[in-house]
Amino acid sequence: MRASLLQIDVRPDERVADRRSRVAALVREQAGADLVVLPELWPVGAFAYQDFETYAEPLDGPTARELGAAARAARVWLHAGSIVERGGAGEPLYNTSLLFAPDGQLHRFYRKIHRFGFDTGEATMMAAGDEIVTARLSGPGTTIGLATCYDLRFPEQFRLLVDAGAELLVICAGWPERRRAHWSLLARARAVESQAYVLACGTAGTHAGVQQAGHSVVVDPWGEVLAEAGSGEEVLTVDLDPSRVAKTRSEFPALRDRVLGLPRP
């Protein structure tokens, strides 16, 4: 299975429509990959709170239309990162990730459960999702679990994803540079404790004055870093063996010995 993580530079001097078209073109260039992953809120910027209302869009809005067409052109599964979602007038905003099938249809969407901000920013401007989301990818024959940025700090969410069958944990993010050490540490921790691949895709550039960490990373079920990006815009491509998840869980059956929480199915 080949996965490509597109670490997008969110530049303040680039119009949202222009960035959308540029990113769609990058997705089309990934033909031959099985799964392509984009970062959190890349159309507007994860910290550009003042623009959330302006660029909020429905699930069938301009980002979904353009990125769905790109997924269809490249014939890839596309985790299109997240958008500021609004269902209609008077409805709340959500930080919503979109997963497109190779035919370009929206296959799943995930509303971010853990909102960042400590009573400011996203935490006050957006409603929280309340459902974990997994998807079985035809072709690669593996199940992915979806999470977004701040979710990475909450291992209980990833336990639920594992219980729901997740073998690859896909995290889109707009993670700040000043906490980059946590980004790398938590990505490896989630892989080790879940005995699953972690594909964590962040942004480059600066959002509303907040320097982004970049350093998108792919971690295997033993916690080994298979590939890591730098700080600028970059396409990170890696070949994975989904069967390693079952092999790891069989050879070192730590999940079987869980005592607290939900039993492993």
Side-chain angles (χ1 to χ4, degrees):
M1 171 183 174
R2 175 161 291 181
S4 292
L5 280 60
L6 308 189
Q7 182 170 284
I8 302 301
D9 186 348
V10 180
R11 304 193 303 265
D13 61 343
E14 184 179 39
R15 295 191 316 130
V16 169
D18 292 340
R19 181 157 51 250
R20 190 183 290 123
S21 296
R22 180 171 67 82
V23 169
L26 281 173
V27 170
R28 289 194 294 272
E29 291 174 6
Q30 308 312 310
D34 297 291
L35 173 65
V36 177
V37 183
L38 290 167
E40 178 190 26
L41 295 176
W42 58 267
V44 61
F47 287 88
Y49 305 134
Q50 73 283 356
D51 293 328
F52 283 3
E53 286 279 353
T54 301
Y55 293 106
E57 56 183 299
L59 292 176
D60 59 353
T63 299
R65 291 194 298 270
E66 195 152 357
L67 273 295
R72 183 172 62 251
R75 301 298 299 172
V76 297
W77 285 95
L78 173 63
H79 183 308
S82 69
I83 60 168
V84 180
E85 180 210 346
R86 171 178 279 134
E91 295 187 21
L93 303 180
Y94 291 95
N95 186 339
T96 303
S97 300
L98 309 176
L99 178 69
F100 294 95
D103 63 1
Q105 296 299 305
L106 182 62
H107 184 71
R108 292 281 191 279
F109 64 90
Y110 163 68
R111 289 171 170 165
K112 186 178 181 182
I113 292 173
H114 300 96
R115 298 160 299 161
F116 180 72
F118 309 113
D119 302 320
T120 63
E122 180 188 43
T124 60
M125 297 179 70
M126 291 180 162
D130 59 6
E131 295 183 6
I132 64 163
V133 176
T134 63
R136 184 72 178 173
L137 305 190
S138 58
T142 191
T143 299
I144 66 172
L146 306 186
T148 302
C149 202
Y150 192 44
D151 288 336
L152 190 60
R153 292 185 178 274
F154 300 91
E156 56 271 27
Q157 179 169 343
F158 292 86
R159 279 293 194 233
L160 291 174
L161 288 169
V162 168
D163 286 336
E167 299 161 305
L168 276 74
L169 303 168
V170 181
I171 301 122
C172 67
W175 200 277
E177 166 61 28
R178 61 180 173 267
R179 290 186 288 276
R180 178 161 62 87
H182 291 185
W183 166 254
S184 301
L185 175 66
L186 291 167
R188 293 187 68 194
R190 299 295 85 87
V192 170
E193 70 196 12
S194 303
Q195 297 186 307
Y197 283 103
V198 164
L199 284 66
C201 183
T203 46
T206 301
H207 304 177
V210 179
Q211 181 65 38
Q212 296 298 286
H215 288 267
S216 299
V217 65
V218 178
V219 188
D220 80 0
W222 279 102
E224 297 297 323
V225 174
L226 300 182
E228 183 173 358
S231 58
E233 182 160 303
E234 184 174 340
V235 176
L236 189 68
T237 299
V238 62
D239 290 322
L240 311 174
D241 179 2
S243 70
R244 286 195 64 193
V245 175
K247 187 172 185 289
T248 299
R249 293 174 180 178
S250 173
E251 292 178 349
F252 193 80
L255 291 172
R256 186 191 66 188
D257 292 334
R258 289 168 58 191
V259 175
L260 301 177
L262 294 174
R264 181 168 179 255

